[in-house]
Amino acid sequence: MGKNTMLRFAVAGLLACSAPVTMAELIITGNIQAEIHTTKTGTNSDWVTGTHDVFGAPVGGPNNLTFTIQDKIGDNMVAFARLSLPFSTMHDRGLTNRESAVGIKVNHTHLRGGRMPTTYKKTGLYLDPWVSTSLEGRILGGGMTGGVYRTAEGRKQNPTGDLTHSGGVNDLVELGYDSGKRAGDGINIRVQALMDPYKGTDRAWIASARYKTKTWSVVLTGIDADYKPDPEKTSNIKLGGNYRIGGLNLTAQYEHADFGTYDNSADAQYLYTSAAYRTGNITYAGWIAKFLSKVDNEDALSYALGVQYHFSNKTKAYIGYRHTNSQNDVRDQQIIASGISKRF
């Protein structure tokens, strides 16, 4: 075979390899946060300073590396998948699974399944200006349900907290509808079903309905479950929303909760409200909350105040103070925290 013939075969091969190929869209996003915090727990303990974190904060932060895949597979039909991997900043705790789900979207409706946060969590955290920092209202903050409660011996994991404002849940199937161009705009409806037993929960349904505009939103969401270790823990319900005018954002939320409560009791209530005001690169933010328990001496009043400085839309530093005052002094807590957070 002559050199010219070999060259023709080589050029033909290159042209074949360069033919148009339809590929799925891959989007890589994430967040990394570092924080230093000083904590005083109870009435007789000393202040303790540390940087040890769980995904960017001492209880649970925003750190994640997320891969989102979208592929148009027909007229008005898109296949999508998401893999979100949280990690710690200050010590060796790397890339675990927070979310791994795959689904199909047709027009404004989608169906997906896998491991994912509940819609109860996703429709509430945006109301907290200090979410995923030590100043947040959930969990030990006493302002929202979550995954960790405190006893005389220290912090304890709440096995049903993942259904509320903490972590992801395995074996969820979700049917969703979004009326806006982006998920979450306009009318947003989610119905989730727990398909296999999870941490003592035989069955669970989680649902939410939210209406959102540029200036205000309102959300109603709830959980109904069979929790075998404690038949009294059957349901949570939450009503909340926000109103934005200029640089001021006001939020309020009410929870009636059996799952993920501050003292691990059932039939508890939370009243939460927050305000955040941004002027230029600075945001002043705070919240106040009341926890009401059916158990004697377990009610708590909590609040947080702080300042955020925005270097850009994706980079900020913050400093603030959070105080939780419980009738049971064991659950008292004060935190001074500062940190820096970077989205990408």
Side-chain angles (χ1 to χ4, degrees):
M1 181 181 296
K3 291 183 179 179
N4 289 339
T5 305
M6 293 179 63
L7 182 60
R8 284 197 296 270
F9 274 111
V11 172
L14 289 172
L15 290 174
C17 291
S18 64
V21 178
T22 302
M23 300 183 67
E25 179 185 15
L26 173 62
I27 303 170
I28 301 175
T29 57
N31 201 113
I32 183 168
Q33 177 175 287
E35 185 182 278
I36 182 169
H37 41 268
T38 300
T39 307
K40 180 179 173 64
T41 301
T43 56
N44 299 317
S45 63
D46 296 326
W47 286 89
V48 177
T49 300
T51 56
H52 194 82
D53 68 301
V54 179
F55 313 145
V59 175
N63 286 6
N64 73 89
L65 179 63
T66 298
F67 301 89
T68 303
I69 302 169
Q70 300 180 87
D71 185 17
K72 187 174 181 179
I73 56 177
D75 292 339
N76 300 317
M77 183 179 293
V78 175
F80 64 93
R82 174 171 292 179
L83 176 64
S84 184
L85 308 172
F87 57 89
S88 294
T89 304
M90 293 292 196
H91 68 288
D92 185 16
R93 183 176 180 182
L95 296 185
T96 61
N97 183 6
R98 176 178 289 160
E99 183 174 358
S100 52
V102 61
I104 292 178
K105 181 177 181 180
V106 181
N107 292 322
H108 296 283
T109 303
H110 73 261
L111 178 67
R112 66 171 179 161
R115 174 178 170 82
M116 66 189 84
T118 66
T119 188
Y120 192 95
K121 172 184 178 180
K122 297 291 284 186
T123 54
L125 295 185
Y126 81 99
L127 299 176
D128 186 350
W130 290 108
V131 63
S132 297
T133 73
S134 290
L135 308 176
E136 67 183 3
R138 60 180 173 154
I139 312 176
L140 293 176
M144 298 182 184
T145 50
V148 177
Y149 65 96
R150 184 176 296 284
T151 68
E153 293 77 30
R155 296 177 180 179
K156 297 291 183 180
Q157 188 68 31
N158 192 319
T160 56
D162 290 345
L163 295 175
T164 59
H165 290 116
S166 180
V169 176
N170 300 336
D171 304 305
L172 279 181
V173 172
E174 175 184 282
L175 179 64
Y177 171 82
D178 296 281
S179 67
K181 294 182 179 179
R182 299 182 307 167
D185 290 344
I187 299 172
N188 173 285
I189 298 172
R190 298 283 187 275
V191 177
Q192 296 175 326
L194 181 66
M195 303 307 295
D196 283 311
Y198 181 77
K199 295 184 178 180
T201 303
D202 244 357
R203 170 198 60 84
W205 290 90
I206 307 105
S208 70
R210 184 174 75 181
Y211 184 75
K212 179 183 177 184
T213 71
K214 290 183 178 181
T215 57
W216 62 275
S217 71
V218 61
V219 60
L220 176 65
T221 179
I223 304 168
D224 184 72
D226 289 335
Y227 182 50
K228 291 186 293 184
D230 189 346
E232 292 185 0
K233 294 188 175 182
T234 58
S235 63
N236 279 29
I237 191 166
K238 179 173 63 177
L239 176 65
N242 80 303
Y243 178 71
R244 185 184 300 274
I245 179 170
L248 179 64
N249 185 39
L250 303 173
T251 76
Q253 179 175 280
Y254 168 78
E255 280 188 87
H256 185 279
D258 292 331
F259 295 115
T261 59
Y262 178 65
D263 61 350
N264 201 34
S265 67
D267 197 21
Q269 298 179 78
Y270 291 85
L271 302 171
Y272 174 93
T273 185
S274 75
Y277 179 70
R278 180 166 178 174
T279 174
N281 290 353
I282 299 176
T283 296
Y284 304 94
W287 58 262
I288 186 169
K290 181 69 175 178
F291 172 73
L292 301 170
S293 177
K294 291 293 185 180
V295 181
D296 291 340
N297 298 319
E298 289 289 357
D299 291 359
L301 178 68
S302 307
Y303 65 88
L305 295 168
V307 178
Q308 304 169 7
Y309 183 83
H310 305 269
F311 297 97
S312 69
N313 288 334
K314 294 186 177 182
T315 305
K316 68 180 179 181
Y318 60 89
I319 186 169
Y321 171 78
R322 173 168 65 78
H323 185 103
T324 301
N325 183 17
S326 172
Q327 290 179 346
N328 177 349
D329 293 338
V330 171
R331 303 188 197 282
D332 287 355
Q333 188 179 56
Q334 299 179 71
I335 288 183
I336 300 171
S338 62
I340 186 167
S341 183
K342 172 66 179 175
R343 292 188 292 119
F344 56 88

